[in-house]
Every structure is written in C-alpha cells, then in structure tokens.
Amino acid sequence: MEKRVSVIVTNKTTKVRKQLHIHHDIAFSILSKLSIKPLKRFECVCKSWSLLSDNPYFMKTYRKSLFTKYHSYYDDACVLLHPLYNSYHNHRFGLYPLYDERFVSNVKIDKPYCDCGFSILGSGSVHGIFCLSFIYEKDIILWNPCTKEFKLIPRGINHRKCYQKGYLNWGFGYDSVDDDYKVTCIYQPPVEDEEVYCEPLVCEIYSLRNNFWKKFDVDKKHSLNFWSNEQVYINGLSHRVCKVATHKCNESYVLSFDWHREVFTTTPIPFDIEDIIDFLNGWRHLVLLNGSTALILNSTRTSTFHIYILGEFGVKESWTKIFTIESFPNLKYPIGMGKRSDMLLKKKDGGLVWFDLVTQKITDLNITTKNVSCNIIIHKENPISLVAYQGKSI
C-alpha cells in the first residue's frame, strides 16, 4: 500500500528592513579624494557632509590628497620666472628657470626678434608658444623658444588704435578642437560722459591657422579699465579677475574665455571674499593650483593668506576655501604657483622663497630681486614650426 505524505509549507511573510549605510570613516576617505566640483555637490546629501569644510582634520586630509593627485599639465614642464618692469625701454627680456627650488640667475632664454623691451601677453606659455608685445603693443609676435622661430602677427582694426585714447586688452590661448593658436584684441572707446561707466567693447580674434583677424561679439558690457592683466590658461579656457564698478554696483568676478566657442563666461566672487579683501586691504592673485583655478588673497597688514578653489565655472557657490595661512611677517606677497603645492613668495627685503602649502616649509632661494613684480610661467617645450603651422589643414 502506497503511503502518500503530504507536506504542507507555510509561507510566512517576513518584513526585512534593508538599511543602506556607509561607515563614517569610509565616507570620510572617499570624500577627501574628490575634486572640488563633486565635493560641493555631496555637501547637499546630509548635514554632517555639509560641514566638512569646517572640519580641520578633513581639510588637512583633503589638501594632502589634492596636491598628490597626478596632473599631466606639469609633465616635462619647467617653471620660469619673468621679471616685470615699469617701462619697456629700461630693460631687456629675461626668463629665468627655477630648477629644484633653486634660482638659476646665470641662465637666460635667448631673446627673440630684437633687443628692445617687451611684455608677455596672456597667460605666458601656451603649449610651448609665447605671445609677445613690443614697443607699447606696436608689434605682436608669436615665439617658439624651442625652434627659435617667431611669427609677426598682422595688425587688426583694434591694433591700429594703440596710440589712441581708450583701453586695449590682449589675450592668447589655444583652441584644442580646431588645433589653432588664437589672439584676442579688445578695444574700449574713450568715455565721453563722466556719468557713463563703460562703453561697448570692440572685439577681434586672430587665427594663426588662417592668418587673419575677425570680429566677434561680447554679450555683456565689461569695462576694460577694471580688467586684470593677470591671466590663467588651462584646457582651452583663459581666466582673469574683473570688476563691475558703477554708482549702483561694485562686484568682482572671474571672466573666462572659451577659445573654441569664442564666448565669455562670468563667475561671481562670493561676498565673503570681497569682504576679506576690503577689510584686509591686501593683494589678489588668480593662479593654477595643481591644475585647479584658485584665488589667493593676502593682507599686507596681517600677513595672512586665504586660498579659494573654484569648483565649477559660472557657479558662485562652488568657491571653497581650502587654506588660511597666518603669521608670516617677513613675507610681502605671493608671486605665483609652481608645480603642485609650491608657492613662490617675495619677502619684504626683495628676497624670493618657496613655500610648500602642505608641509608649510619655507625654502629661501638666496636671491633678491629689485623688480616691481614678477610672474611665474609653466612652460613645456614644443617642436612645432610656426611657419609650417600657418595654413595647415586639420
């Protein structure tokens, strides 16, 4: 007789609560390795993350991670010091290499074109090429110190107005999409009425590949007399600090130029930064800090430095203070950033020192400069021929 066994299965519904949780130490470690842009976005996740910038231990870890990140911008690059003068006629051209935190005073890159004085336009070296201005911007050339070639740029409409009244501003950059070196010349007519704070700008852009100038429009009024000559170039964009100054408004912002799209973008500077500058009555410098756009503010009265990094262009809230460095009574002002965390500063006696932002170690270069100021230039050699480049098809 066959026996059948009935098995009754009772399904009990069990509520399982799944809780997603990231341990605090793991989240801390992950967030400390992010760039500024995603870090600012993660601050919106929870209250504890929104307060990370106020956490000294987190910011110390974040700074260390920021400066140890690899950035191809510095591969095979040398750091050059360019002295600035008040007059074109009382000096000769000089670029002094800074090797391994040492100032090599007896090394000069060959001066191009002629023996007269001139200035470096734009951000300095862009993909190995310099844009130089001779004799009050009468002649503008492109120069490759690697091949020792130079290219005299033909004069545009604005260029012919050099000796007229008004303001003239130059820019130099590289269009990576069209593989083209470009120069901007922006002219602002003189103000006839004292009640008018800015006149419409007349803008031209020169293409090395096509060897001609063309006009382009600026969608917003900017007054050139409030444009800083200090420019920063990286990844197809040039940046400078500008200011809106009218009877109704007094605001600073970063003005960025896209060399491919040929358009300007503005990024307001937060009021707390402006309050610091007004209160401290100090210096303001736009620099590249290990590949990131940064703003250095320092007081001439208290010798305190404030360093902010911009996470996203066009977004005012993406500014983040990553450093407040105090008590440097013998240092006058920063000249610029070298590679990664090295900042070059000028002492009150004119001496130059390297200052490591991570270790806060000061290295004296044992050199004194009497120049009004200096610029730091990151330069990479490029064997490209300027003569062959002109008219070259993509």
Side-chain angles (χ1 to χ4, degrees), residues 1-5:
M1 181 177 178
E2 184 179 354
K3 295 183 179 179
R4 295 182 178 180
V5 180

Side-chain angles (χ1 to χ4, degrees), residues 152-370:
L152 178 63
I153 295 178
R155 297 187 183 183
I157 297 175
N158 289 344
H159 196 173
R160 302 188 189 104
K161 301 176 180 178
C162 291
Y163 295 102
Q164 297 180 13
K165 293 181 179 180
Y167 294 96
L168 197 66
N169 189 277
W170 298 89
F172 173 57
Y174 176 71
D175 177 356
S176 59
V177 178
D178 292 336
D179 184 23
D180 194 5
Y181 291 89
K182 297 180 178 180
V183 179
T184 55
C185 183
I186 302 177
Y187 173 72
Q188 182 174 11
V191 177
E192 302 294 342
D193 188 350
E194 294 182 355
E195 297 299 323
V196 179
Y197 285 84
C198 64
E199 292 287 334
L201 305 181
V202 182
C203 308
E204 288 183 295
I205 189 165
Y206 169 81
S207 163
L208 174 62
R209 183 178 295 281
N210 299 317
N211 193 34
F212 70 80
W213 292 88
K214 70 175 182 179
K215 290 185 178 182
F216 72 99
D217 296 326
V218 178
D219 58 359
K220 184 179 179 180
K221 289 185 178 181
H222 303 281
S223 183
L224 284 186
N225 57 327
F226 296 114
W227 285 30
S228 169
N229 289 323
E230 186 179 54
Q231 299 179 47
V232 170
Y233 170 88
I234 191 170
N235 298 331
L237 298 172
S238 288
H239 316 285
R240 73 179 82 203
V241 174
C242 300
K243 188 175 183 180
V244 176
T246 69
H247 60 286
K248 296 181 179 179
C249 179
N250 191 338
E251 180 182 2
S252 294
Y253 57 93
V254 172
L255 184 66
S256 306
F257 184 73
D258 187 315
W259 288 97
H260 174 63
R261 297 170 55 227
E262 298 177 1
V263 295
F264 285 102
T265 302
T266 60
T267 306
I269 296 176
F271 290 115
D272 59 332
I273 299 181
E274 286 303 297
D275 292 341
I276 290 174
I277 274 292
D278 292 339
F279 176 75
L280 297 178
N281 189 28
W283 301 75
R284 175 169 50 193
H285 304 271
L286 195 67
V287 298
L288 282 180
L289 198 154
N290 198 28
S292 299
T293 303
L295 190 63
I296 302 177
L297 311 176
N298 74 289
S299 168
T300 55
R301 293 182 296 178
T302 65
S303 300
T304 301
F305 294 82
H306 304 271
I307 303 180
Y308 295 76
I309 286 186
L310 180 60
E312 186 173 357
F313 294 105
V315 181
K316 177 180 179 180
E317 293 74 20
S318 67
W319 288 99
T320 300
K321 183 192 288 189
I322 62 168
F323 282 103
T324 297
I325 306 169
E326 301 178 349
S327 302
F328 287 99
N330 295 325
L331 300 181
K332 190 174 182 181
Y333 59 83
I335 294 175
M337 294 298 305
K339 294 184 179 181
R340 301 190 183 278
S341 61
D342 290 331
M343 181 166 62
L344 188 67
L345 298 107
K346 186 175 182 178
K347 298 190 295 184
K348 291 182 178 180
D349 62 2
L352 301 179
V353 298
W354 279 120
F355 175 69
D356 191 305
L357 291 173
V358 177
T359 64
Q360 299 197 8
K361 176 183 176 182
I362 296 178
T363 303
D364 201 318
L365 296 179
N366 297 317
I367 188 70
T368 301
T369 175
K370 296 181 180 179

Side-chain angles (χ1 to χ4, degrees), residues 72-78 125 127-129 378-382:
S72 60
Y73 177 78
Y74 302 99
D75 287 348
D76 301 320
C78 61
S125 175
H127 292 263
I129 309 298
I378 305 296
H379 174 68
K380 291 185 182 183
E381 287 194 346
N382 186 351

